[in-house]
Amino acid sequence: MTFEPALAKGKKEYSGEVFSGLDLKGKAVTSKQFRDCIFKNCDFTGAVFRFCEFRDCCFESCNLSLVKLNGTLFAGTSFKDSKLVGINWTEAYWPAIKLSCPLQFDNCLLNDSTFLGLSLDGVRISSCKARDADFRDADLSKADLTRTDFTGALFGGTNLTGADLTRATGYAIRISDNRLKDAKFSLPEALALLYCLDIKIV
């Protein structure tokens, strides 16, 4: 498998580098370590990351839709104005020692992505579209979920303790099936919580 010139085939570690316009669509990246790197306008559509590490990295205006994250670690990584459709985040490497705020998403497209059962307390998913995403059994305590569209997203056994969902839209969260203590909601969207109580509102 060949790499773009910006990713030397024999080089394993990158630190403080900026990758702009990188095209790795459908390609494989194996055992690479990135620290404090910035990726701008890069296309990773359908790429496969195998046992890579991204620490304190930033993806800006990138397309990572349908990427495979086989054993790949993300720590302190942020995504801005990027497409991340159809990603199964459970395939990534999640160490037993909990990482502080491993992921941050701002103005991103996260439709059809899976976060099933992941510990993501403190995560930021702000001003995003997360339609039909799966957050069942995930820990989203103290998460910043503001202004995000959760139409069709799945919540069940989800820990939303202290989470901020102000100005979030489209969510259907059953109070009896999720942990919502101290979570923040805003009207009129918060009325959706009542609709899930099997009561009649007249």
Side-chain angles (χ1 to χ4, degrees):
M1 183 66 65
T2 58
F3 294 92
E4 295 294 309
L7 288 184
K9 187 174 182 180
K11 188 174 181 180
K12 295 292 186 182
E13 298 182 6
Y14 301 83
S15 180
E17 298 193 31
V18 177
F19 300 91
S20 182
L22 189 64
D23 186 354
L24 289 176
K25 185 164 49 180
K27 296 183 179 180
V29 181
T30 303
S31 300
K32 301 281 187 181
Q33 298 180 8
F34 302 90
R35 183 181 294 273
D36 296 311
C37 291
I38 297 175
F39 299 86
K40 293 183 177 181
N41 300 303
C42 297
D43 191 352
F44 299 102
T45 306
V48 180
F49 292 105
R50 296 193 185 102
F51 308 109
C52 294
E53 292 186 10
F54 294 90
R55 295 181 181 273
D56 302 314
C57 293
C58 181
F59 292 81
E60 300 178 5
S61 302
C62 293
N63 192 343
L64 297 98
S65 296
L66 302 176
V67 298
K68 301 294 184 182
L69 304 176
N70 302 353
T72 290
L73 170 71
F74 292 90
T77 300
S78 64
F79 301 87
K80 299 178 181 179
D81 306 314
S82 296
K83 294 178 65 176
L84 303 106
V85 174
I87 296 178
N88 185 354
W89 289 93
T90 67
E91 294 178 345
Y93 173 60
W94 302 95
I97 299 177
K98 190 179 298 184
L99 300 173
S100 59
C101 198
L103 299 171
Q104 299 180 36
F105 303 96
D106 291 284
N107 196 36
C108 290
L109 195 61
L110 301 170
N111 297 347
D112 300 300
S113 292
T114 299
F115 300 89
L116 180 69
L118 295 181
S119 181
L120 297 171
D121 49 304
V123 69
R124 184 166 74 232
I125 304 176
S126 182
S127 300
C128 295
K129 289 188 182 296
R131 297 185 175 186
D132 300 307
D134 192 346
F135 297 100
R136 290 174 297 171
D137 298 318
D139 183 357
L140 301 178
S141 56
K142 298 182 180 179
D144 179 355
L145 307 176
T146 55
R147 300 181 298 279
T148 289
D149 180 0
F150 290 105
T151 301
L154 299 177
F155 294 90
T158 309
N159 185 359
L160 291 162
T161 303
D164 188 352
L165 288 96
T166 55
R167 299 179 65 185
T169 61
Y171 51 81
I173 301 173
R174 296 185 67 89
I175 295 176
S176 59
D177 295 339
N178 298 276
R179 297 169 62 184
L180 300 175
K181 183 179 180 181
D182 296 326
K184 297 179 182 179
F185 300 88
S186 57
L187 293 172
E189 291 81 7
L191 292 175
L193 299 174
L194 299 179
Y195 299 146
C196 293
L197 286 176
D198 295 326
I199 61 176
K200 293 182 179 180
I201 300 176
V202 296

